[in-house]
Amino acid sequence: MSDVLYDLDYIPILRALSDQAFDTKQWFDLGAAANELSLTDGFDRLLSLEDLSIQLFEHQRKAVLRVLREMRGRAVLADEVGLGKTIEAGVILREYMVRGLVSRVLILVPALLVNQWRNELQEKFRIHAAVAVAPSDWQRHDVIVASLDRAKRSPHAANVLAKAWDLVIVDEAHHLKDRASKNWQLVNGLKKKYLLLLTATPVQNDLRELYNLITLLKPGHLMTYSEFCREFTIDRHSPKNLKLLRQRLDEVMVRTSRRETLLRFPKRRIHSWSAALRGAERRFYNRLVDVLRAAYQQAPKRERNILPFILILRAASSLPQAAVRTLHSMTRRGTLPGVDTEHVSELAEMATELIPAKFTLCRRLLREDLRGENVIVYTNFRSTLRRLGDALEDLGKEVHRFHGGLSDAEKASVIDRFRRHGGVLISTETGSEGMNLQFCRCLINYDLPWNPLRLEQRIGRIHRLGQENDVRIDNLAAEGTVEGYILYLLERKIAMFDQVIGELESILGNFAGSFEQRVVQAFLAADDFETTRRHMERLGQELKAAVQMYGRQRSFVQQLFQPIDV
Amino acid sequence: MTEPEKVEHFVLTFFAATGCRVQRRDRVWIAHLPEHMAKAFGVDERLVFTFQPEQASSNVEVLTRGHRLVDVMVQYAQQRGRSCNVIYLGSQWNEIVRQAAASDPWQMGYRPAVPRLVRMVETLRSLRFVNARQRIIQRRVLYQRQALFRFRVAFCADEKREMLYSVLADPSTETIDSVVDIGGGVAMPAVWRGKNEASQRVQTKFFPTPPFGRRKNFMSREASWQAGEAALRQGNAYVWLRLYRKACEYLENHMLTEKLRFEAEAAARLAAEKNRLDAYYRGLAAETVDPLRRVFSRMAAAEMRMGWGGERGTWETRLERLRAEAVRLRHQHVDELENLAAERERRLEELLDRYRVKTEISLVQVSLIHVPRIAWNLRLTGPSRREVTVLYDIIRERILEPLCDACENMLTGNALLSCCGDVVCQSCGKACPTCGESVGATAPREVGG
């Protein structure tokens, strides 16, 4: 016996009847036609599709409909990287919300992607999601984006598990491959009606991972683990009975390969420029590095906090004056033991009147190579943005400044002006997420973001499905600086710019620790150029191993799914 | 109507109702929207559109269901056209009603040309007072109010299916009547008459679209009725509330087939999932015995070796160890089974929650309908004298009155007039309901008046 519920909205209608407050018959007939048009019969159509600012590609539309109609909201979205799994999940979420089948939603993602998810939900799907920070947030909000790491920690875990969720989405779901891990235990313990697991690599090299993932989704779909092993595996790395296994997987997994979609991705033309530090600028940088290395090395290993060093070195690569200001405020607050005010005064004196070599390089690029093009220039600092903006205006370029200090309306207006008038858009990291700028095809990374995923996000603003031209990326880095080494590692060791969109994430997943922290640690732990070079080479080898591991994982997945793709 | 035709009809009618200028050029339409409307709908003031996907181009939009503009129009129309007052007037109905009211359907020579009137004559002549003469003494046209409730019913489980139901209720008898097509009616009065100016302003102003439409407030039937009682206490609103309740009760029976079908589908899906879950946990439970089974076989082996003689002490120690291991494993097995049972219970709850069927009912429109009825007052002369009124519903083509004075059913076929002035049907005609005397078909029947 089912519940029959009544909408309270009948009261104003009956009141209108009693007050003789009638509308015309024409509007009444229109209302009747509207009611008929708005009826939904199961998932016969995607209600939200044309209302959104995005358009689905055919493979995405099919995936969404399969999940809604056949898999009934419990599925692994395992499209190859760059084919828009996030969009598919967003549309599924909205379809459920529009139909009133879902209201409490939990989206668990790696910490790095929390803001990106929140922004995409807001901008593309008009779904306001809250980011869970405090333990009380889980009960306070209906749609929550949170990092999986936070959710599984105490005291958050108890709150997450206490709430009944209508839909749970887990991005990068290969983090759930280990049944004994806290990640798996958390998602397994959640009360949920619908569950979407997003991963391009549902299995990396062990079939048990695949079993664990599917068991989260539909316990028993691949039987018990012993039965699964008997039926489908020769050993943990070699499947058997492939036809039946693929059939079973096909019932809970959507996987589209790039080949199937026939989508054309624009080419990326990468130009990396090394700005040689000369004279006063070189002297300033070397002195700063000496001071920082001394401070870093003299701190006891357990008490070393790498973050202030990262901040100063990043600022030094961008604008020496900014680095001095940061150093000054940190010394005053005592964040950087081992650096005293004398060092700061000395460095401040050295930085006065310095014009960074990257400044000159950027101006030359805009004046010569990119003349007549609309260009986006990314920097990490607002002070650099201001100085660079003034310098480029002197070149006669129309400059649009985009940074976190602007209100939403101002931001929209800056982008609109840039779209209409062209010129140069200088943006801080604020503009690297969520915006679609594919009307522009040139991008200069004046400062490289030291996290490679952020770099990919920046490039993703112009290099995305829908871009009609090949895109040009210019990376500027000062020679012999941390930034220079980062560019070297990304280009030579990971071949980052040759990777398919989204692959970098999987590669770095195989790399232990945070990329930027490891690079800076290696840089500060060295005493001279030769040691630095050796440290970087060692990191490079690790990165290469991560790339190779990813290659192996990819071929394993391909072996498992290939015939389905065909 | 095909899907694009439905959308086309809706959009063009909407533009006409809002006073937008729309031109057609080949297969493409151009609409000029008033500024406030374009702004509220988030579109340009000049719109170029088509309803056929193959006509679309970069500057010609295809308007289909799900298109933002169509969605906004739909939401607006749903909010705006929620009540009206309809009367069956207009050239066609005026003439039919006039002719019907002027007619004497029992006169044998009367042969109308209009099919609806032909059917009326046939129906009325089927009612015959077999023991009395009848004469028409008065003819009237009555417009009687009825309320047409339109409900949107949504069946929700792991998916949602919606449908519309119309229920027509008669305020005078508080009964449900068959639904009539109000296409032939006209609005009465023809203009919007809000309770006050403010409410008119609110209703006629274009509103921006909320992200997912209005948030619904669903509750149980009793709770919603109680809320209605509290809110509609004043004036004659209570009459309509009572009628609405009747309509709801009728609707719940009327939609039962569809509801049962939806429930059966959801139950079938649930059963399949439950079977999978049961098989899985049965398998897991069976597997938890394996370690215990292994220990038992080792114990059996040890006992056997002990029986063969040899190093008896060594085997005894081993057996002791195995026994202790077996006890530990048995406890572990019990714990595992308990955990599995708890997990299965949780999964089952999850499933039940997913497939729990909910039926959501919303009243979306209501219309007052003024239905024309023709009344003939007849004087009957037979065993006694009596005046009766024959009331005929010309829309639904059926007799509404008179009723049998004994059983209160509609009088049809042969009817009788008793000595005490009661009119009764043939089955009640054996005895007069007042005095109990036999009522016979004694008096000659006279047709007409």
Side-chain angles (χ1 to χ4, degrees):
Chain A
M1 192 63 193
S2 64
D3 300 332
V4 180
L5 302 172
Y6 283 82
D7 184 9
L8 262 195
D9 202 35
Y10 78 89
I11 294 173
I13 300 180
L14 293 190
R15 192 173 284 134
L17 190 66
S18 139
D19 292 345
Q20 306 262 303
F22 301 115
D23 209 328
T24 60
K25 182 151 180 300
Q26 187 183 27
W27 275 110
F28 187 81
D29 290 342
L30 264 170
N35 282 321
E36 204 168 312
L37 272 181
S38 65
L39 290 180
T40 56
D41 188 5
F43 294 101
D44 58 336
R45 63 186 179 125
L46 298 179
L47 294 170
S48 60
L49 212 58
E50 300 215 10
D51 189 26
L52 303 173
S53 54
I54 51 152
Q55 276 211 318
L56 289 191
F57 289 99
E58 193 50 27
H59 73 273
Q60 292 174 322
R61 209 180 64 83
K62 277 186 188 162
V64 168
L65 284 173
R66 268 196 77 200
V67 172
L68 293 170
R69 287 179 188 164
E70 294 167 29
M71 300 176 183
R72 302 194 169 268
R74 287 179 94 101
V76 182
L77 297 178
D79 289 349
E80 281 189 357
V81 285
L83 293 182
K85 290 185 286 295
T86 316
I87 301 286
E88 289 168 8
V91 174
I92 292 168
L93 163 61
R94 212 183 116 114
E95 287 294 325
Y96 276 127
M97 287 184 97
V98 169
R99 285 173 170 80
L101 292 170
V102 156
S103 61
R104 287 153 305 181
V105 184
L106 174 64
I107 300 164
L108 296 171
V109 302
L112 184 71
L113 301 179
V114 168
N115 285 331
Q116 188 181 323
W117 262 90
R118 190 194 52 188
N119 293 345
E120 285 212 10
L121 286 177
Q122 179 68 50
E123 283 156 23
K124 291 188 178 140
F125 303 101
R126 284 188 240 120
I127 297 171
H128 178 74
V131 173
V133 182
S136 59
D137 287 346
W138 305 100
Q139 296 299 329
R140 265 221 320 265
H141 305 284
D142 274 345
V143 183
I144 293 179
V145 183
S147 79
L148 188 52
D149 287 336
R150 186 188 293 276
K152 74 185 178 199
R153 273 204 317 262
S154 176
H156 297 281
N159 291 303
V160 181
L161 290 168
K163 187 164 173 176
W165 303 95
D166 293 325
L167 171 63
V168 175
I169 299 176
V170 185
D171 195 7
E172 304 300 342
H174 43 263
H175 295 306
L176 307 175
K177 63 190 177 188
D178 181 5
R179 203 184 172 109
S181 69
K182 277 193 171 178
N183 289 349
W184 195 92
Q185 303 284 350
L186 176 86
V187 177
N188 185 47
L190 289 172
K191 290 182 209 123
K192 55 206 175 285
K193 267 161 80 177
Y194 306 104
L195 175 65
L196 297 178
L197 303 176
L198 278 57
T199 174
T201 46
V203 52
Q204 294 189 325
N205 53 18
D206 186 344
L207 285 163
R208 189 180 184 127
E209 297 164 4
L210 185 68
Y211 176 83
N212 289 342
L213 214 57
I214 303 298
T215 301
L216 264 186
L217 203 67
K218 268 191 164 184
H221 187 71
L222 295 179
M223 306 170 287
T224 66
Y225 183 60
S226 330
E227 288 165 337
F228 170 75
C229 288
R230 269 201 303 276
E231 192 80 24
F232 297 116
T233 65
I234 298 166
D235 59 43
R236 288 168 109 186
H237 311 286
S238 328
K240 70 175 183 190
N241 230 341
L242 259 177
K243 198 175 166 196
L244 186 60
L245 177 59
R246 283 179 197 133
Q247 206 176 315
R248 287 277 172 92
L249 292 177
D250 203 37
E251 286 164 13
V252 287
M253 187 183 290
V254 180
R255 182 169 173 85
T256 314
S257 67
R258 282 167 172 261
R259 243 174 339 153
E260 278 176 284
T261 62
L262 303 174
L263 293 175
R264 181 196 168 271
F265 284 83
K267 283 192 184 134
R268 298 201 273 201
R269 298 189 191 287
I270 310 294
H271 300 263
S272 292
W273 305 91
S274 184
L277 301 187
R278 294 212 170 80
E281 196 182 0
R282 170 53 69 194
R283 282 198 295 283
F284 167 80
Y285 194 82
N286 287 347
R287 181 66 192 130
L288 176 72
V289 168
D290 287 344
V291 170
L292 293 180
R293 273 180 174 160
Y296 179 75
Q297 288 171 10
Q298 76 188 39
K301 263 193 181 171
R302 281 186 184 173
E303 291 170 24
R304 281 179 189 167
N305 178 8
I306 196 74
L307 295 178
F309 294 95
I310 294 180
L311 198 61
I312 294 168
L313 285 168
R314 274 173 63 193
S317 308
S318 182
L319 192 72
Q321 293 83 349
V324 172
R325 260 200 309 278
T326 315
L327 194 62
H328 178 66
S329 63
M330 282 184 181
T331 323
R332 221 179 38 201
R333 286 201 307 265
T335 337
L336 215 57
V339 181
D340 54 37
T341 44
E342 273 175 36
H343 290 133
V344 180
S345 317
E346 180 197 348
L347 285 165
E349 203 171 306
M350 289 171 85
T352 326
E353 305 297 320
L354 264 186
I355 295 175
K358 283 203 303 188
F359 237 77
T360 325
L361 186 59
C362 184
R363 276 170 59 104
R364 188 177 62 72
L365 266 177
L366 287 168
R367 205 172 47 224
E368 295 169 8
D369 294 35
L370 301 173
R371 193 174 49 203
E373 293 277 6
N374 299 328
V375 184
I376 304 163
V377 180
Y378 277 112
T379 170
N380 290 334
F381 298 92
R382 219 186 284 183
S383 49
T384 315
L385 178 141
R386 272 195 298 271
R387 290 278 295 276
L388 196 59
D390 295 345
L392 296 182
E393 267 172 349
D394 293 345
L395 278 182
K397 296 266 182 194
E398 182 164 356
V399 176
H400 312 275
R401 294 171 178 82
F402 189 96
H403 53 82
L406 302 176
S407 67
D408 287 348
E410 285 168 332
K411 281 180 187 163
S413 141
V414 170
I415 297 299
D416 190 45
R417 270 206 313 279
F418 178 50
R419 193 196 312 267
R420 282 187 285 114
H421 300 178
V424 180
L425 175 82
I426 311 184
S427 170
T428 56
E429 210 59 59
T430 316
S432 71
E433 283 179 4
M435 290 189 310
N436 299 337
L437 302 170
Q438 63 261 51
F439 56 88
C440 172
R441 64 170 210 98
C442 296
L443 185 155
I444 297 178
N445 285 308
Y446 176 87
D447 295 322
L448 279 179
W450 291 7
N451 179 339
L453 297 184
R454 286 207 171 277
L455 183 54
E456 190 155 341
Q457 271 170 16
R458 281 186 185 178
I459 297 172
R461 298 306 102 218
I462 61 170
H463 184 242
R464 56 198 301 131
L465 286 172
Q467 170 64 267
E468 286 166 5
N469 304 304
D470 292 345
V471 302
R472 174 178 168 147
I473 318 289
D474 288 274
N475 298 314
L476 312 189
E479 203 179 72
T481 61
V482 180
E483 192 177 52
Y485 287 117
I486 284 177
L487 188 58
Y488 165 76
L489 290 173
L490 294 182
E491 251 191 344
R492 300 288 168 82
K493 302 297 176 186
I494 313 187
M496 173 183 164
F497 300 105
D498 299 331
Q499 302 290 350
V500 170
I501 304 171
E503 280 185 332
L504 190 63
E505 233 159 294
S506 309
I507 292 170
L508 290 177
N510 297 329
F511 179 73
S514 146
F515 174 79
E516 59 181 325
Q517 289 189 15
R518 297 267 325 259
V519 174
V520 175
Q521 276 161 354
F523 183 81
L524 290 175
D527 290 322
D528 51 31
F529 172 74
E530 195 44 46
T531 334
T532 313
R533 204 187 55 78
R534 264 207 319 276
H535 286 182
M536 294 301 162
E537 277 309 316
R538 209 174 300 143
L539 270 184
Q541 292 308 318
E542 274 188 55
L543 285 167
K544 266 193 166 171
V547 174
Q548 280 163 2
M549 189 187 280
Y550 171 67
R552 283 198 299 275
Q553 291 163 353
R554 202 175 49 181
S555 49
F556 187 61
V557 173
Q558 267 169 1
Q559 181 208 345
L560 202 57
F561 296 104
Q562 195 100 21
I564 293 178
D565 295 348
V566 174
Chain B
M1 256 195 194
T2 61
E3 176 79 19
E5 282 170 351
K6 273 187 198 168
V7 178
E8 178 174 343
H9 178 256
F10 172 74
V11 170
L12 296 180
T13 318
F14 189 95
F15 280 141
T18 47
C20 296
R21 208 152 44 83
V22 182
Q23 298 164 280
R24 185 171 188 173
R25 283 198 197 144
D26 298 328
R27 288 186 180 181
V28 170
W29 297 83
I30 302 167
H32 301 270
L33 275 65
E35 192 188 341
H36 66 280
M37 188 168 139
K39 205 170 162 186
F41 285 4
V43 291
D44 293 337
E45 285 175 39
R46 184 176 181 276
L47 263 182
V48 184
F49 59 90
T50 176
F51 300 99
Q52 308 299 331
E54 60 275 12
Q55 304 292 325
S57 67
S58 58
N59 49 7
V60 179
E61 285 189 60
V62 191
L63 296 192
T64 57
R65 288 203 306 178
H67 187 283
R68 187 179 141 65
L69 178 65
V70 177
D71 274 359
V72 176
M73 285 174 163
V74 163
Q75 285 187 25
Y76 182 77
Q78 282 175 325
Q79 288 294 306
R80 169 92 198 252
R82 300 211 288 183
S83 60
C84 84
N85 194 10
V86 171
I87 186 164
Y88 278 84
L89 278 177
S91 56
Q92 178 211 356
W93 285 106
N94 281 353
E95 187 52 29
I96 290 173
V97 171
R98 194 192 60 75
Q99 279 189 33
S103 69
D104 179 352
W106 292 276
Q107 190 183 38
M108 293 314 280
Y110 176 61
R111 285 196 173 79
V114 183
R116 188 175 283 269
L117 295 182
V118 173
R119 290 194 296 273
M120 176 188 84
V121 168
E122 281 169 10
T123 312
L124 288 171
R125 282 183 187 168
S126 70
L127 169 66
R128 298 188 308 152
F129 289 97
V130 289
N131 66 346
R133 291 191 196 96
Q134 65 187 58
R135 190 163 64 90
I136 296 174
I137 53 174
Q138 197 181 16
R139 282 172 270 221
R140 284 173 298 158
V141 178
L142 307 169
Y143 278 94
Q144 289 196 334
R145 283 194 313 184
Q146 292 195 317
L148 177 74
F149 295 97
R150 279 198 173 142
F151 293 96
R152 176 189 287 261
V153 178
F155 301 111
C156 315
D158 58 329
E159 64 171 39
K160 191 172 194 174
R161 197 173 299 161
E162 289 180 311
M163 43 200 69
L164 292 170
Y165 285 94
S166 297
V167 180
L168 198 125
D170 193 316
S172 53
T173 57
E174 290 200 355
T175 52
I176 303 302
D177 212 336
S178 59
V179 175
V180 291
D181 173 22
I182 62 165
V186 293
M188 181 189 84
V191 290
W192 166 262
R193 216 186 73 192
K195 195 176 182 187
N196 52 46
E197 272 189 34
S199 75
Q200 280 191 31
R201 270 204 303 277
V202 171
Q203 286 293 327
T204 52
K205 197 180 155 202
F206 284 99
F207 57 92
T209 329
F212 301 116
R214 190 177 56 80
R215 189 177 269 271
K216 303 272 183 185
N217 189 4
F218 286 103
M219 52 182 70
S220 70
R221 188 171 77 172
E222 285 66 30
S224 88
W225 285 2
Q226 275 172 13
E229 256 174 52
L232 300 169
R233 211 168 284 171
Q234 273 90 37
N236 66 346
Y238 191 71
V239 175
W240 301 116
L241 180 64
R242 283 177 61 88
L243 213 55
Y244 165 77
R245 287 179 180 180
K246 288 273 174 202
C248 290
E249 279 165 0
Y250 173 80
L251 175 70
E252 283 195 30
N253 287 323
H254 189 56
M255 68 183 192
L256 202 59
T257 317
E258 201 57 48
K259 187 170 155 231
L260 290 176
R261 187 188 306 159
F262 186 83
E263 279 174 355
E265 284 171 12
R269 291 196 294 270
L270 172 66
E273 296 255 11
K274 264 172 86 175
N275 286 343
R276 173 178 51 76
L277 211 60
D278 286 340
Y280 174 63
Y281 283 102
R282 262 200 315 272
L284 285 181
E287 281 174 16
T288 56
V289 191
D290 288 348
L292 206 55
R293 198 174 288 148
R294 274 196 296 273
V295 170
F296 285 151
S297 8
R298 282 164 63 197
M299 277 166 68
E303 273 174 3
M304 205 179 287
R305 297 291 289 270
M306 208 165 64
W308 290 347
E311 296 168 15
R312 194 178 171 83
T314 320
W315 287 110
E316 258 178 13
T317 324
R318 184 171 293 180
L319 200 55
E320 273 314 302
R321 229 181 20 243
L322 284 171
R323 277 190 193 120
E325 174 74 0
V327 171
R328 190 186 63 78
L329 283 174
R330 212 183 61 201
H331 288 307
Q332 187 180 316
H333 171 65
V334 171
D335 288 349
E336 276 176 9
L337 284 184
E338 274 175 13
N339 289 343
L340 281 177
E343 194 182 300
R344 183 184 164 280
E345 216 36 54
R346 189 170 54 78
R347 299 273 195 197
L348 206 58
E349 238 173 70
E350 221 174 84
L351 274 185
L352 291 175
D353 191 33
R354 187 143 61 108
Y355 290 100
R356 182 168 295 128
V357 178
K358 250 186 339 186
T359 308
E360 294 175 346
I361 299 177
S362 326
L363 178 67
V364 287
Q365 287 187 309
V366 65
S367 172
L368 272 190
I369 303 176
H370 297 262
V371 183
R373 284 162 180 181
I374 318 294
W376 290 271
N377 283 4
L378 304 181
R379 175 166 295 150
L380 302 178
T381 314
S384 57
R385 288 166 73 92
R386 160 85 189 266
E387 279 185 19
V388 293
T389 303
V390 177
L391 191 63
Y392 182 76
D393 184 335
I394 195 147
I395 305 290
R396 298 186 188 85
E397 302 184 353
R398 64 173 192 216
I399 300 171
L400 302 171
E401 281 180 28
L403 305 178
C404 168
D405 287 334
C407 64
E408 295 199 334
N409 285 327
M410 191 65 63
L411 276 182
T412 50
N414 290 344
L416 300 160
L417 176 67
S418 77
C419 51
C420 301
D422 298 308
V423 285
V424 289
C425 60
Q426 205 158 28
S427 51
C428 300
K430 286 178 185 148
C432 167
T434 309
C435 65
E437 285 289 313
S438 149
V439 183
T442 49
R445 181 175 163 269
E446 187 179 282
V447 176

